[in-house]
Amino acid sequence: RKRRFRAVSSKIVKQAKNLNISPRIMKNALAIVRNRGERDALLFKEKILVTTNDSRLRLFGLDDYCMMKKYQGGTNTSLQIKARISESGEYILSGSDTGGMVHVWQTSAHSRTVSIDSKGIHRHEKCRSCESFRATTANPSVITDAHFIPSNVLKRALKESGLFPTLSTDLFGSLDHDFSSSAVITCDYEGTIRILLRKKILDDAIRAAGPEGNHTI
């Protein structure tokens, strides 16, 4: 039998050489990236986020149950601490069992779309960076749960606080903010509940209200 061989471009051969892998693995990896981009552009994918005790979050697609992305940077090795996704789907939030920290990831944060090495192709993306802030100094310093406050609840709370009498609930929507990720409620190991709000959203609301109710930021 005659075997047909597809030519591998010199560019792929050069890239494979730089990574110390075979040109065949490199070619397959590039095909996966191209096909994934075309598929994700045409198909709305339902996803499920799984939190595990190895300090990792994993995002799976419900169409094929394959892992799409892995998030690292947080600490969760002993307790069942769940991660949460904001209403907009742009951010992921999780407490931790060390240091009283709360960790926030961007769901679409830049990462390598395909990881390749001499062992082959790793088809899931890896996100190793997150933003963190301390939410408790209790002992033990554990954040057992953390949630994003829903955007409609936050807008109503700001309006009813009396701090911005010239702003209506609708005008809060004109502020250039993702309200679904602007406020967080946390609970620590001692049972203390805290609400944390981005300072920038208050500053912009104050400027929008103005001394005479001027809504221009």
Side-chain angles (χ1 to χ4, degrees), residues 55-105:
S55 300
R56 307 284 196 280
L57 309 177
R58 292 170 174 85
L59 192 66
F60 291 86
L62 292 180
D63 58 335
D64 54 10
Y65 298 103
C66 290
M67 182 164 62
M68 302 175 61
K69 201 159 190 175
K70 182 190 292 184
Y71 298 90
Q72 299 172 234
T75 305
N76 181 19
T77 58
S78 58
L79 298 176
Q80 294 182 352
I81 300 175
K82 295 181 180 179
R84 317 284 180 176
I85 301 177
S86 66
E87 282 179 291
S88 64
E90 294 295 321
Y91 294 94
I92 296 173
L93 177 76
S94 178
S96 67
D97 58 11
T98 304
M101 304 299 290
V102 174
H103 305 287
V104 183
W105 293 262

Side-chain angles (χ1 to χ4, degrees), residues 120-163:
I121 304 170
H122 310 287
R123 297 171 185 252
H124 61 270
E125 303 177 24
K126 294 181 180 179
C127 177
R128 294 186 173 91
S129 62
C130 67
E131 295 184 6
S132 305
F133 59 89
R134 190 181 304 278
T136 184
T137 56
N139 187 18
S141 54
V142 175
I143 298 297
T144 57
D145 206 356
H147 289 257
F148 289 112
I149 295 177
S151 57
N152 63 327
V153 174
L154 177 58
K155 291 176 184 178
R156 187 168 64 248
L158 289 173
K159 173 60 181 174
E160 294 178 358
S161 68
L163 296 173

Side-chain angles (χ1 to χ4, degrees), residues 160-213:
E160 294 178 358
S161 68
L163 296 173
F164 314 103
T166 59
L167 282 182
S168 67
T169 304
D170 292 338
L171 285 172
F172 273 109
S174 67
L175 298 178
D176 187 19
H177 287 282
D178 177 7
F179 277 82
S180 70
S181 62
S182 294
V184 170
I185 183 168
T186 68
C187 181
D188 65 20
Y189 205 77
E190 292 182 341
T192 302
I193 295 174
R194 293 177 174 86
I195 296 176
L196 301 102
L197 182 67
R198 283 182 181 168
K199 182 177 181 296
K200 188 176 186 303
I201 197 171
L202 287 177
D203 293 340
D204 288 350
I206 290 171
R207 290 201 304 272
E212 298 178 357

